[in-house]
Amino acid sequence: MRRMSWVLAMILCVTVVFAGCGKKDAASVVKGLNNVADTLQSKEGSYKGTGKMTLYTGEKPQEYNIEVWYQNPSYYRISLTNAQKDVTQIVLRNDDGVFVLTPSLNKSFRFKSDWPENQGQVYLYQTLVQGILSDNTRQFASDKDSYVFDVAANYHSQSLVRQKIWLSKDNYAPKQVQVSDGEAHVMVEVKFSEFKFDAKFDKDSFDMKRNMTVQGDGDPTLGTVMQVDENGNPISADDQQTDGSTAAAPKELGDFGMIVPVYMPEGVDSKDTNKMENSASHTVLLRYDGTYQYTIMESRSQDMAVSSLASGTVVDLGFTSGLLTGDEQKTLTWMNDEGIEFRITSANLPVDEMTKIAVSLQEQTGK
């Protein structure tokens, strides 16, 4: 009887030990994430992910189908397709700089930046891993299929405070991200339907001209568009298409009216509006005064290469990326999916407020 009890006790102990071997704590998962991050920095480091992003930062939720490509050392391609408008914008980084492309309008927006090295994006794997590794007060949990981390948010907006990140137990691939404000309201949510490490790309997958033509499946296919020189300025028709092909003609873009943001910071009122008559780019100026003083300029050029700007900081607006330039007087510049370029300029308006204004402009149509 004693022998039988001893055998059962041994079996129970072995079972408990082996059951514990299958579980990982936060420290072991963090160690695994460090290894994955090191692999991404290696010569063959790459990934490709697809999913859906929902923004709850405006009056109503905005949904975007997303596709994220990365290839070492610093090639990125993020495709954001507005689910309501079925219009795609592409944020691209290659050896020539950072581009925001709207293929359906043949519009390119180019600037110099080290993005995304110092600016996080919720759909970039490196940003999520860095958020986990840098938070020593991280909270860890485990469900059936995922490791779940609750950590501080490290994004440009001060209103985004916490983020909850679900990682696959199989390979630490991201499955879901929820970013919340100070009152625990989810403001941004990303759900990945597929994520693959060691992805293979064509030689010109991150080429600007190739990405200016996008098919319905989200993959870029070769196309011909107006080229830009090293300064981002359009090259004349006489200087391009030497192969005899014909450049894609831009869509006719007319007057868009006047787009008025629904959000204004507390203590701010509209000062005046001015629509510049006979402007080829349909330029509109909106001025605001009060607690902060700022100007919004709206325009829509017929040129394919809309802007080429100096170096600055890339600001994630959710629906696209903008560029922040200037020191004492700052300007936030971006282009929406209808080819309209916006500039918010101010000497005292905080960047977080600029971002909120930009989001409210995205939801409006011209009047």
Side-chain angles (χ1 to χ4, degrees):
M1 195 61 144
R2 290 179 180 176
R3 181 184 180 91
M4 183 66 69
S5 299
W6 181 84
V7 171
L8 290 174
M10 287 296 295
I11 293 175
L12 180 60
C13 290
V14 170
T15 301
V16 170
V17 169
F18 276 98
C21 290
K23 296 180 180 180
K24 291 187 177 182
D25 58 12
S28 59
V29 175
V30 166
K31 182 178 179 180
L33 285 175
N34 267 308
N35 293 334
V36 174
D38 290 342
T39 301
L40 290 178
Q41 294 301 315
S42 67
K43 184 177 179 180
E44 302 300 325
S46 65
Y47 62 75
K48 179 187 290 188
T50 57
K52 180 171 290 187
M53 177 175 67
T54 305
L55 304 178
Y56 299 97
T57 51
E59 292 183 318
K60 57 183 179 180
Q62 297 286 321
E63 290 188 352
Y64 294 85
N65 297 320
I66 63 171
E67 185 173 46
V68 184
W69 296 0
Y70 163 77
Q71 180 174 284
N72 181 273
S74 57
Y75 290 172
Y76 291 87
R77 177 187 182 274
I78 294 92
S79 171
L80 300 170
T81 301
N82 188 308
Q84 288 78 27
K85 300 179 181 179
D86 194 27
V87 177
T88 297
Q89 281 195 317
I90 297 171
V91 182
L92 185 73
R93 178 179 174 180
N94 57 28
D95 292 335
D96 297 322
V98 179
F99 300 83
V100 177
L101 311 175
T102 310
S104 62
L105 301 177
N106 285 337
K107 293 282 189 179
S108 65
F109 182 84
R110 178 188 181 188
F111 43 83
K112 298 178 182 179
S113 174
D114 61 357
W115 175 89
E117 306 305 326
N118 298 317
Q119 301 92 32
Q121 248 86 16
V122 66
Y123 38 70
L124 294 181
Y125 185 72
Q126 291 94 326
T127 301
L128 301 179
V129 172
Q130 184 60 33
I132 294 171
L133 299 181
S134 62
D135 188 351
N136 293 326
T137 62
R138 67 181 79 91
Q139 299 176 27
F140 174 78
S142 176
D143 61 22
K144 181 179 179 181
D145 302 313
S146 306
Y147 299 118
V148 186
F149 284 93
D150 190 326
V151 297
N154 54 347
Y155 303 107
H156 206 285
S157 174
Q158 296 179 2
S159 61
L160 302 178
V161 178
R162 302 289 299 178
Q163 58 182 339
K164 198 171 183 179
I165 303 167
W166 285 258
L167 302 175
S168 171
K169 286 186 175 180
D170 295 333
N171 59 357
Y172 302 123
K175 299 178 67 175
Q176 184 178 354
V177 186
Q178 291 181 343
V179 188
S180 304
D181 63 12
E183 297 180 352
H185 298 139
V186 175
M187 306 303 290
V188 183
E189 182 175 44
V190 175
K191 292 184 178 181
F192 289 96
S193 56
E194 184 178 356
F195 196 95
K196 180 181 179 181
F197 294 108
D198 300 321
K200 303 301 180 185
F201 299 105
D202 294 336
K203 185 177 180 180
D204 56 354
S205 291
F206 298 89
D207 179 75
M208 188 277 285
K209 289 184 288 184
R210 176 175 179 176
N211 279 279
M212 281 296 283
T213 301
V214 178
Q215 299 297 320
D217 59 2
D219 287 334
T221 55
L222 290 174
T224 306
V225 300
M226 181 177 287
Q227 302 177 34
V228 295
D229 62 19
E230 65 274 10
N231 297 315
N233 299 315
I235 301 175
S236 66
D238 294 336
D239 296 330
Q240 59 178 310
Q241 304 306 326
T242 56
D243 60 356
S245 60
T246 303
K251 291 183 180 180
E252 186 65 29
L253 301 176
D255 191 348
F256 56 87
M258 181 182 296
I259 302 177
V260 179
V262 295
Y263 174 80
M264 287 189 296
E266 186 176 352
V268 170
D269 294 305
S270 174
K271 183 176 181 180
D272 56 49
T273 59
N274 181 25
K275 187 171 180 61
M276 300 177 65
E277 299 297 332
N278 302 319
S279 170
S281 57
H282 314 287
T283 301
V284 174
L285 293 176
L286 300 87
R287 295 198 300 170
Y288 295 82
D289 201 353
T291 306
Y292 307 111
Q293 299 78 44
Y294 58 92
T295 300
I296 301 175
M297 186 177 77
E298 307 167 355
S299 62
R300 179 154 63 182
S301 172
Q302 291 296 325
D303 292 335
M304 294 184 184
V306 176
S307 293
S308 177
L309 301 177
S311 299
T313 301
V314 174
V315 178
D316 181 20
L317 302 177
F319 55 90
T320 191
S321 292
L323 184 70
L324 185 68
T325 56
D327 295 319
E328 293 185 3
Q329 181 165 278
K330 297 185 181 297
T331 297
L332 177 64
T333 307
W334 75 97
M335 182 174 62
N336 72 3
D337 51 21
E338 295 180 351
I340 302 172
E341 182 178 324
F342 296 87
R343 293 173 182 256
I344 302 177
T345 301
S346 176
N348 63 351
L349 182 65
V351 176
D352 204 43
E353 295 288 356
M354 287 186 175
T355 302
K356 292 178 181 178
I357 295 169
V359 171
S360 74
L361 282 165
Q362 172 69 5
E363 300 175 353
Q364 304 305 306
T365 57
K367 300 179 180 178

